[in-house]
Amino acid sequence: MHPSRIEIDLEQFRKNIWTIRKCIGKSKLCLPVKANAYGHGLLKISQAAEEAGVDCLGVSCLKEGAILRENGIKIPILVLGAIHESQIDLLAKYDLEFSISSKFKADLVASRLKSPCKVHLEVDTGMQRTGVRIENAKAFIQHVKSHPLLKVVGIYSHFATADKPKDPFVYKQLSAFIELKGALDGATFHIANSGGTLFYPESHLDMVRAGLIAYGYLPKKAPQAFKEIAPFFSLKSKISYFKVVEKDRGISYAHTYKTKAQTRIVTVPVGYGDGFLRAFSRNGSVLIGGKRFPIAGNICMDQFMVDIGEASAYVGDEVVLIGKQGEASIPLMELAKRARTIPYEVLCLFNDRIPREYHF
Ligand SMILES: *Cc1c(COP(=O)(O)O)cnc(C)c1O
């Protein structure tokens, strides 16, 4: 048994899905499961999502979609990232819906297809990432429709600034996108990410693609109706070593932390090789026995040290790095702030060395 684990509470995941459902009414729900389901585990989250009645899964590339099909996922899967021409046969074989973001790609795909394929046309309304310019969108739609094997089932765009309410640029993107509504009957129109889902109900349209909020991370200003949403990812380990250290001793690489008095130092077997960022060196705490203690010195590849002062703890005691212990908690949002990044990045960086444990 590995001493560390990532605990995933699928009961809370289902609550999040139901809460989003309630808030989006008749719109469909696409759950992005790219990047190993934001670190939560691609297959297990996709299976739970399928059971919970999610309408569609969003992946970034062929590989993620292929894994899901190989493991029996039946609901629609949309590849959101740009595809490469060498992948067309497999995209078709695995029945993946994919994005067409230029006339060039449309022609390329059409020339290689042997059977009909479901595609979503991507229109750029201001993200400047992928997608045809909004000015060319109507002509583009007509052009793609002329290829009999390309079945256009969706048209979508992506918000750049929807993580805050009442942003004028969101309304600009939305109104440009809605202009296209009449251009193709029956296609699913979608633009809302988590921000759109939370703050811009008029952007829900036929489907929302809500990632971060489904994983439980809400901004402070989130509307009341979403407040039952909560994170369900915890990181726990066990003390692997205990020692008493004299005053004025340096701890870990480069001795960036010095003991101010004789103290107790415990070692935790988690490091940046697991995805626990080195940016948390001397910049964060963990929970032991329901109390917070500071990370002492630099995080190593596979372990780090914690200064527990006068407190008592034993080898094998539980350490919580992310999540709750008794009344105390360390939210992932706190770690993201400490590392000067966003929760998405902290989650995605956890790899498979620490096993994930699913609670149904
Ligand atoms: C990742 C992604 C989303 C989900 O974004 P969140 O901010 O996590 O809701 C939606 N749409 C596209 C195209 C994406 O790439």
Side-chain angles (χ1 to χ4, degrees), residues 32 34 38 80 122 129 156-158 191-195 197 209-213 215 344:
K34 58 195 184 185
Y38 293 45
L80 295 160
E122 190 189 1
R129 187 167 66 178
Y156 79 99
S157 190
H158 193 54
I191 188 168
N193 53 3
S194 287
T197 306
R209 307 183 305 266
L212 194 69
I213 58 171
Y215 297 101
Y344 301 79

Side-chain angles (χ1 to χ4, degrees), residues 159-205:
F159 284 136
T161 62
D163 51 339
K164 287 186 191 70
K166 299 205 164 68
D167 184 280
F169 198 73
V170 172
Y171 297 112
K172 220 172 141 181
Q173 287 194 268
L174 183 59
S175 57
F177 185 62
I178 287 174
E179 275 280 294
L180 300 175
K181 259 290 194 184
L184 193 66
D185 286 339
T188 300
F189 276 72
H190 49 111
I191 188 168
N193 53 3
S194 287
T197 306
L198 284 176
F199 298 126
Y200 302 89
E202 61 276 51
S203 77
H204 294 173
L205 306 181

Side-chain angles (χ1 to χ4, degrees), residues 247-267:
K247 184 177 180 218
D248 288 330
R249 296 291 161 95
I251 308 284
S252 193
Y253 288 124
H255 279 181
T256 56
Y257 183 92
K258 289 260 173 13
T259 55
K260 293 192 185 74
Q262 178 177 301
T263 189
R264 296 167 175 182
I265 298 287
V266 297
T267 302

Side-chain angles (χ1 to χ4, degrees), residues 253-294:
Y253 288 124
H255 279 181
T256 56
Y257 183 92
K258 289 260 173 13
T259 55
K260 293 192 185 74
Q262 178 177 301
T263 189
R264 296 167 175 182
I265 298 287
V266 297
T267 302
V268 180
V270 174
Y272 60 79
D274 298 295
F276 193 69
L277 293 178
R278 193 167 175 278
F280 304 135
S281 300
R282 285 173 298 116
N283 177 25
S285 32
V286 300
L287 304 174
I288 299 171
K291 290 204 189 71
R292 269 182 186 251
F293 296 102

Side-chain angles (χ1 to χ4, degrees), residues 11-26:
E11 181 67 42
Q12 183 60 49
F13 169 63
R14 287 187 288 270
K15 278 188 198 155
N16 295 352
I17 295 297
W18 294 330
T19 303
I20 296 170
R21 268 260 181 261
K22 252 192 333 210
C23 294
I24 62 174
K26 288 205 178 76

Side-chain angles (χ1 to χ4, degrees), residues 107-170:
D107 295 343
L108 194 67
V109 171
S111 73
R112 294 198 48 149
L113 277 180
K114 295 172 199 83
S115 55
C117 243
K118 293 180 185 145
V119 297
H120 292 241
L121 307 186
E122 190 189 1
V123 179
D124 184 9
T125 52
M127 175 75 177
Q128 310 295 355
R129 187 167 66 178
T130 44
V132 293
R133 284 171 206 278
I134 188 78
E135 309 87 87
N136 304 334
K138 284 188 179 154
F140 174 61
I141 293 166
Q142 290 314 313
H143 180 80
V144 178
K145 269 165 69 179
S146 73
H147 288 298
L149 292 182
L150 294 177
K151 303 291 171 205
V152 182
V153 296
I155 299 187
Y156 79 99
S157 190
H158 193 54
F159 284 136
T161 62
D163 51 339
K164 287 186 191 70
K166 299 205 164 68
D167 184 280
F169 198 73
V170 172

Side-chain angles (χ1 to χ4, degrees), residues 50-66:
E50 185 169 47
E51 275 172 36
V54 161
D55 299 288
C56 158
L57 299 168
V59 297
S60 74
C61 58
L62 165 65
K63 184 179 168 186
E64 292 173 334

